[in-house]
């Protein structure tokens, strides 16, 4: 794991944890995870609350490397302009059987040119910026992780763990990956992409008073009659003028904005209440559970009940990968003694 000043501690340590657990649970050294900085010197993490002391410097790495990942973090932008670091990445790339990044570590890979011609995952917010750069990289905005040739990249922060679980599954089979996921109290695979984590309405209400009045009315009354005719009256505009001006100042259509607001409302209700799916549909303005399910599936790639299972405040039920007969009591003493825990 390549680290640098301003790296995210979670990006660096989280994805390495499954490799260490693979060794622990099997009693064999399947992996030898290490951290590395350009010169081997300690690097402060973002926030300055600790320093990472790398295992070695780049020049001390072996001739052949199975996997090198570049961690993300606020320091990625400065690192992406550090020619010494980028030069080391280019020199190491031919020696790596697999290469990749966690979260905004993709920004460094893109800057090095190594990712050219590949599909890349990254944090949803950085994906927006990278797409505007018109680089030779195809950005997968909604992916949790992406494998493109020998390049493996993940979305934001903890998605790096999803990536390394996928690598372990590829190397040693599903059972070991599932055992590690159970040990970490995780699902082996998430049920959807990172769209479900990003705000649906990233822009604040526009400064245009007529459009802002419409936006606020939609936000405060998602169950109301939000027809163009009714909203045009609120804005004191003709229907045609409202539709045209709304698209011009918000860069989205009025119907899309309404659906975004209702979807956000439904997600909040699923996350924080025990209302039935039908009640959520009504209270969010979708009217019927069937309509709500169609929108969730189209927009988030997951049904409302599965979304609630993953993100609701009632976590009493086991996640899908841990449910039913697959739930096995962990005998930690057995693990420590080298016996099977599963």
């Amino acid at each position: 794991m390549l680290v640098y000043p301003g790296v995210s501690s979670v990006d660096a340590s989280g994805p390495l944890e499954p490799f260490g657990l693979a060794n622990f649970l099997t009693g064999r050294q399947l992996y030898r995870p290490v951290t590395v900085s350009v010169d081997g010197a300690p690097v402060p993490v973002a926030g300055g609350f600790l320093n990472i002391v790398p295992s070695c410097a780049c020049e001390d790495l072996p001739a052949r490397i199975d996997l090198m990942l570049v961690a993300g973090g606020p320091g990625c932008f400065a690192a992406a302009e550090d020619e010494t670091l980028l030069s080391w990445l280019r020199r190491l790339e031919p020696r790596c059987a697999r290469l990749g990044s966690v979260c905004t570590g993709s920004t460094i890979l893109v800057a090095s040119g190594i990712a050219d011609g590949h599909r890349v995952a990254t944090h949803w917010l950085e994906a927006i910026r990278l797409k505007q750069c018109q680089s030779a990289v195809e950005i997968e905005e909604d992916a949790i992780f992406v494998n493109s040739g020998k390049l493996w990249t993940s979305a934001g922060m903890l998605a790096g763990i999803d990536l390394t679980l996928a690598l372990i599954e590829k190397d040693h089979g599903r059972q070991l990956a599932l055992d590690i996921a159970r040990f970490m109290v995780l699902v082996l695979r998430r049920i959807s992409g990172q769209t479900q984590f990003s705000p649906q309405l990233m822009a604040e209400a526009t400064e245009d008073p007529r459009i802002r009045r419409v936006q606020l009315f939609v936000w405060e009354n998602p169950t109301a009659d939000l027809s163009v005719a009714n909203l045009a009256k609120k804005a004191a505009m003709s229907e045609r003028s409202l539709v045209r001006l709304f698209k011009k100042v918000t860069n989205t259509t009025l119907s899309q904005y309404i659906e975004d607001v209702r979807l956000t409302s439904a997600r909040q209700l699923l996350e924080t209440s025990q209302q039935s799916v039908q009640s959520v549909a009504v209270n969010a303005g979708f009217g019927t559970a069937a309509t709500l399910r169609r929108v969730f599936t189209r927009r988030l790639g997951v049904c409302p009940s599965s979304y609630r299972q993953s993100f609701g405040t009632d976590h009493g039920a086991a996640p899908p990968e841990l449910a039913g007969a697959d739930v096995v009591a962990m005998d930690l003493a057995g693990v420590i003694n080298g016996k099977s825990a599963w």
Side-chain angles (χ1 to χ4, degrees):
M1 181 70 72
L2 179 63
V3 296
Y4 47 84
V7 72
S8 165
S9 60
V10 173
D11 282 12
S13 63
L16 294 182
E17 193 71 37
F19 293 123
L21 286 173
N23 296 341
F24 176 62
L25 293 177
T26 62
R28 295 182 290 142
Q29 189 164 27
L30 302 178
Y31 298 100
R32 186 171 296 143
V34 300
T35 51
V36 57
S37 66
V38 168
D39 56 5
V43 299
V45 302
F49 55 87
L50 62 82
N51 289 334
I52 294 177
V53 180
S55 309
C56 64
C58 284
E59 64 182 1
D60 299 322
L61 289 170
R64 295 296 300 166
I65 302 166
D66 176 55
L67 169 69
M68 171 168 280
L69 293 174
V70 182
C76 71
F77 303 106
E81 296 179 354
D82 183 344
E83 189 51 43
T84 301
L85 184 149
L86 297 180
S87 177
W88 265 112
L89 265 180
R90 297 185 192 106
R91 290 159 61 186
L92 290 170
E93 185 272 332
R95 294 158 53 183
C96 298
R98 297 178 288 194
L99 186 70
S101 61
V102 179
C103 194
T104 54
S106 58
T107 300
I108 300 170
L109 285 185
V110 170
S112 72
I114 291 173
D116 286 0
H118 288 280
R119 295 180 300 111
V120 169
T122 188
H123 189 280
W124 62 268
L125 191 56
E126 178 64 357
I128 297 172
R129 192 189 70 82
L130 286 177
K131 285 179 76 74
Q132 294 172 343
C133 292
Q134 299 182 345
S135 66
V137 176
E138 182 181 346
I139 304 298
E140 297 278 353
E141 293 179 86
D142 193 44
I144 293 295
F145 65 85
V146 168
N147 174 213
S148 176
K150 77 173 189 177
L151 210 67
W152 291 75
T153 54
S154 79
M157 293 193 134
L158 295 179
I161 298 177
D162 294 83
L163 183 149
T164 53
L165 285 172
L167 286 166
I168 291 169
E169 181 176 2
K170 184 177 179 65
D171 291 345
H172 299 289
R174 174 182 169 81
Q175 187 58 54
L176 178 57
L178 182 55
D179 287 351
I180 294 168
R182 283 170 171 162
F183 195 93
M184 298 181 73
V185 197
L186 299 170
V187 293
L188 183 56
R189 289 193 182 88
R190 300 196 210 189
I191 53 177
S192 185
Q194 62 174 331
T195 300
Q196 57 194 305
F197 300 100
S198 59
Q200 297 300 305
L201 307 170
M202 295 167 57
E204 295 181 358
T206 177
E207 293 182 0
D208 186 296
R210 296 165 296 177
I211 301 304
R212 183 171 64 246
R213 190 156 55 245
V214 170
Q215 288 177 308
L216 292 177
F217 181 80
V218 172
W219 266 111
E220 294 169 358
N221 303 277
T223 63
D225 174 9
L226 300 182
S227 64
V228 175
N230 192 41
L231 293 176
K233 293 178 182 177
K234 299 290 181 183
M237 301 172 64
S238 70
E239 295 179 31
R240 187 172 181 178
S241 295
L242 172 61
V243 170
R244 184 173 60 249
L245 183 60
F246 195 95
K247 177 65 182 295
K248 179 180 179 181
V249 301
T250 66
N251 201 33
T252 190
T253 64
L254 182 55
S255 60
Q256 184 66 60
Y257 186 84
I258 293 169
E259 183 175 272
D260 287 347
V261 169
R262 286 173 167 166
L263 180 61
T264 298
S265 178
R267 287 168 56 186
Q268 291 173 343
L269 289 171
L270 288 168
E271 291 167 8
T272 61
S273 79
Q274 296 303 313
Q275 295 182 28
S276 67
V277 172
Q278 176 61 37
S279 294
V280 169
V282 171
N283 292 329
F286 285 107
T288 67
T291 301
L292 179 64
R293 291 190 189 98
R294 283 197 298 271
V295 173
F296 257 68
T297 302
R298 172 168 51 84
R299 295 289 299 275
L300 303 182
V302 61
C303 69
S305 57
S306 293
Y307 181 90
R308 167 176 275 163
Q309 188 172 38
S310 290
F311 302 107
T313 55
D314 181 7
H315 297 300
E321 290 285 355
L322 303 180
D326 280 341
V327 177
V328 182
M330 287 193 347
D331 177 4
L332 288 178
V335 175
I336 294 171
N337 291 327
K339 300 175 183 177
S340 173
W342 310 107

